[in-house]
């Protein structure tokens, strides 16, 4: 809160570097791009295809391959200067078909099935499953304090929910996700046999939320599942009555050999400074449930829409502008890593990278990790051109997982910030489907990113 | 756009009247109210009951009576200083059970049923329906230019859609709604026998949107329906091929005698200036389809939540604060009119009235119709306390239908402004149901209104 007020004061203090005439011209140009997006936007119908005809597309899956080919064809049809695939080997984890969990052997309740999803990357249970007593904790610290004696042979149940007092739900997610990422290995170090994690969710319902775990190399790998928020509440309530109840879980996921896949890249070549590159991107892979609509089909179609809008306006960029559909954000980040490696090898100079990976909701602003203060101030000075479209949150901090590896002392990393209220209701669930996306919200997002790309291209950084 | 930039400049130029210490205190108080709303908010569960157990509640219906009793009981349980009903006679229109429409006698298509809803207040067709050729127009002006010769005996089809280039969809609604409100009588003056209006919608689907029409006293009353946007596109396309096709519509709505109903009012009495009244309200009635969730169940439960939050904080208001659930906003405005009449008769002094009747989506700000410039500036100076919660749009203009009749030279009329992108997808349709409401968005709205009421109460106007 204090941070925001400080930015408002900064805004007032700044003298804007743009002349009145340039401002007027930019304002008109941006207005026309929004008009184009709102009346003739293509991203909603593109998303309908990606989510409905291809669907969930975890790295290594046939659907991920279909998504690559789809993105390539879509960009080929746009008449860009160049469309190409960038090879990247991706991990290949498959969920299996035996996911099942239940609360059993409770003295006060009959057996109750509960909705779970294996965490992405989890190892399997024994074929007949795993049954053990449960120890509930709210944090990694609380777990460590329990020590081996109380954890050995048990299933650890991480049950810290979202802190709902955050106005932006991504902060609540950030405050809870260590349980999912590090919980399994921390529990394993103390002799636990399995892990159940409360879904990383802003609401209460029956949908479990999957997501990646990170096994430490020096700890045993134990199976781990996310339980729905309602399931977590039930388990916690029953445990309070009967600490000896048991949890049963059965999973048969598998790690298969790595698969050749691709980042898909479309490019408009710069006319004056082609060596300066501006990237706008999202990730093409998704978890293997739902349709990967908000995560991150929306980021992909918005990124393509940026190039389409600039072309539709007849705009000839000075700098090179790329839309990048990254592969494997969800369980490896191999695509983002590869893109940055190649850029470095080829001595490419990226001036800015914008990532859309927070859902396709109403645009609220951009979060900026600038290489230095003048670059931040320059970006911030454009706020007056963006605020009429509801882009008030032009703030420090942000970027994205896929563009993160590009970080150096020259590039501005920028995260597109849509409204966050609904995102973590559906994130990583079977509920992340096309019908949750609103056409106008989606198209406004593409236009917002295009507006920023236009300013980045015209004025540089 | 220009207006917004002007306001930003004003913001920078203002020296804020609050001392740093008062600001800090207010900032903490407001933060705690948001915490309370986000962790312990009651409005979502209240809305679940109103929409799910009572449902659609057009004025004069048994459900409207149930909603009155529900609101009274809810506020009684809150331990307010006073809860009372204010009598108001309301119109009683019922839709009937014979709604049907089809495109018939086309030389290029078999008969096609289309989805329509009688406009609220429409008269019936003859018992067997009405079949006539169709004349399509985009505006009242275009209709007038056609003149009697081309309109006589026909059904007029108003087919001007939303202007999607508006960033706020309420402006697009405002730009289209004359067709629905005045179209039937304008068509009747030229001898038309019926009216079909393209739904006032921001999206394209099969749901027709009803809404009130206003019959002029000096024109024949002809039946009028809203057609879904997909139906409108179909009809327009078929007309282009065959201008002689006919439209068939059958309706049997009825006007019944007026019914005694009520505004429901809950009050916290002011401790220092009880004679100065601050109102926060929504409307209890809804159209007779769907569940009246976003229109305007959300405004009702948010208004009650304002009082609950202030009480939960242990706050003792200086001024009198009222939550008013107005009756009959949708087809008569009798409740809003009556409330203002009684206030005037009793010499009550309202300093501000806030209305929530634009849906329960993420809060974006408030629209203000101030009695004079210093009052606007005072309200605007509070923006720094509200912006951390996403309330950036503190702008001139706005209010609401129900509080409109309170307008005098002293009262500030304030419309709560949530995000508008999704509202007109569902407004006045069978699709306006509880599942479209997000808990956090709803509770943030109540807290936002509570924050403004707190400042109004503490500092006056």
């Amino acid at each position: 809160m204090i941070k925001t007020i400080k930015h408002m004061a900064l805004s007032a203090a700044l003298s804007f570097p743009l002349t009145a005439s340039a401002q007027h011209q930019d304002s008109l140009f941006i207005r026309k791009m929004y008009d184009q997006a709102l009346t003739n936007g293509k991203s909603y119908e593109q998303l309908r295809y990606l989510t409905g005809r291809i669907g969930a597309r975890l790295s290594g899956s046939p659907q991920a391959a279909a998504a690559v080919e789809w993105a390539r064809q879509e960009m080929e049809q746009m008449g860009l200067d160049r469309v190409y695939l960038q090879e990247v080997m991706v991990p290949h984890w498959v969920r299996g078909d035996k996911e099942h969990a239940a609360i059993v052997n409770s003295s006060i309740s009959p057996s109750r099935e509960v909705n779970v999803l294996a965490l992405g990357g989890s190892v399997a249970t024994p074929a007949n499953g795993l049954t053990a007593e449960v120890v509930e904790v709210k944090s990694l610290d609380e777990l460590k304090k329990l020590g081996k004696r109380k954890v050995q042979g048990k299933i650890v149940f991480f049950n810290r929910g979202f802190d709902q007092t955050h106005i932006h739900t991504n902060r609540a997610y950030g405050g809870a996700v260590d349980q999912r990422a590090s919980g399994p290995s921390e529990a394993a170090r103390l002799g636990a046999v399995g892990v159940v994690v409360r879904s990383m969710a802003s609401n209460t319902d029956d949908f479990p939320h999957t997501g990646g775990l990170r096994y430490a190399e020096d700890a045993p790998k134990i199976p781990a599942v996310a339980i729905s928020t309602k399931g977590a509440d039930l388990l916690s309530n029953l445990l309070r009555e009967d600490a000896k109840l048991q949890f049963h879980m059965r999973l048969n996921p598998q790690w298969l050999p790595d698969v050749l896949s691709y980042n898909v890249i479309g490019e408009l070549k710069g006319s004056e400074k082609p060596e300066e590159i501006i990237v706008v991107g999202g990730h093409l892979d998704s978890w293997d449930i739902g349709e990967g609509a908000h995560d991150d089909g929306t980021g992909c179609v918005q990124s393509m829409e940026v190039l389409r809008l600039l072309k539709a306006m007849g705009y000839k960029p000075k700098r090179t502008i790329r839309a990048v559909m990254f592969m494997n954000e969800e369980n490896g980040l191999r695509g983002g890593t590869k893109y940055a490696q190649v850029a470095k090898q080829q001595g490419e100079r990226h001036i800015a990278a914008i990532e859309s990976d927070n859902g396709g909701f109403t645009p609220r602003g951009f979060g900026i990790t600038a290489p230095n203060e003048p670059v931040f101030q320059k970006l911030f000075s454009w706020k007056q051109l963006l605020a009429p479209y509801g882009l008030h949150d032009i703030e420090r901090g942000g970027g994205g997982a896929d563009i993160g590896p590009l970080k150096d002392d020259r590039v501005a990393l920028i995260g597109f910030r849509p409204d966050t209220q609904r995102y973590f209701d559906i994130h990583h669930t079977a509920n992340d489907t096309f019908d949750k996306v609103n056409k106008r919200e989606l198209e406004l997002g593409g236009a917002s990113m295009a507006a920023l790309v236009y300013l980045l291209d015209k004025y540089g950084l």
Side-chain angles (χ1 to χ4, degrees), chain A residues 105-316:
Chain A
N105 298 327
S106 159
S107 60
I108 59 156
S109 165
S111 289
R112 300 275 291 265
E113 286 197 31
V114 288
N115 290 350
V116 300
L117 282 171
L119 294 185
S122 175
V123 296
T125 61
N128 292 328
L130 162 69
T131 305
E133 285 183 15
V134 177
V135 55
E136 175 179 344
V137 296
K138 296 284 191 186
S139 68
L140 299 176
D141 274 355
E142 188 182 338
L143 174 73
K144 284 173 197 162
K145 281 179 194 152
L146 286 181
K148 271 202 179 168
R149 203 173 50 85
K150 293 189 174 162
V151 172
Q152 190 87 41
K154 304 244 176 90
I155 289 173
V156 172
F157 170 34
F158 290 98
N159 192 30
R160 184 166 88 260
F162 269 28
D163 177 354
Q164 294 288 1
T165 66
H166 288 291
I167 302 302
H168 300 293
T169 59
N170 46 334
R171 292 183 193 159
Y173 179 75
V177 75
D178 63 336
Q179 303 170 95
R180 188 191 79 204
S182 308
S185 285
E186 293 298 333
R189 284 186 219 282
L190 300 176
V193 295
V195 160
V196 178
V197 181
R198 183 187 184 89
S199 283
M200 304 290 123
S202 43
N203 60 346
T204 304
D205 68 15
D206 288 314
F207 287 87
H209 297 226
T210 189
L213 57 73
R214 285 195 303 266
Y215 284 132
E217 296 201 353
D218 60 347
K221 293 181 179 176
I222 59 174
V225 298
I227 187 171
S228 74
T229 43
K230 279 196 176 173
D233 289 343
L234 174 68
L235 177 56
S236 184
N237 287 337
L238 291 177
L239 277 170
R240 215 168 300 150
E241 303 290 326
D242 174 11
K244 295 286 175 192
L245 66 74
Q246 294 189 304
F247 195 83
H248 171 78
M249 53 199 268
R250 193 177 69 217
L251 312 172
N252 63 337
Q254 274 186 283
W255 278 102
L256 302 174
D258 284 5
V259 171
L260 177 61
S261 187
Y262 305 92
N263 294 325
V264 188
I265 303 172
E267 186 176 290
L268 291 174
K269 188 101 177 162
S271 59
E272 292 180 21
K273 299 187 173 186
E275 73 284 2
E276 293 195 5
I277 297 167
I278 298 163
V279 159
V280 59
H283 65 85
L284 206 44
D285 63 308
S286 77
W287 282 105
D288 57 331
I289 45 163
E291 298 174 352
H294 279 288
D295 189 13
D296 182 28
T298 52
C300 292
V301 297
Q302 286 172 328
S303 298
M304 290 196 276
E305 183 74 355
V306 169
L307 299 191
R308 193 194 68 79
L309 289 172
L310 292 171
K311 274 190 74 76
M313 294 287 293
Y315 183 73
K316 304 286 178 213

Side-chain angles (χ1 to χ4, degrees), chain A residues 402-423:
Chain A
D402 282 309
I403 60 174
L406 284 172
K407 188 167 171 62
D408 63 19
D409 57 2
R410 298 191 297 181
V411 68
L413 302 179
I414 302 171
F416 168 60
R417 292 196 179 168
D419 195 277
T420 66
Q421 299 310 323
R422 294 174 181 233
Y423 188 51

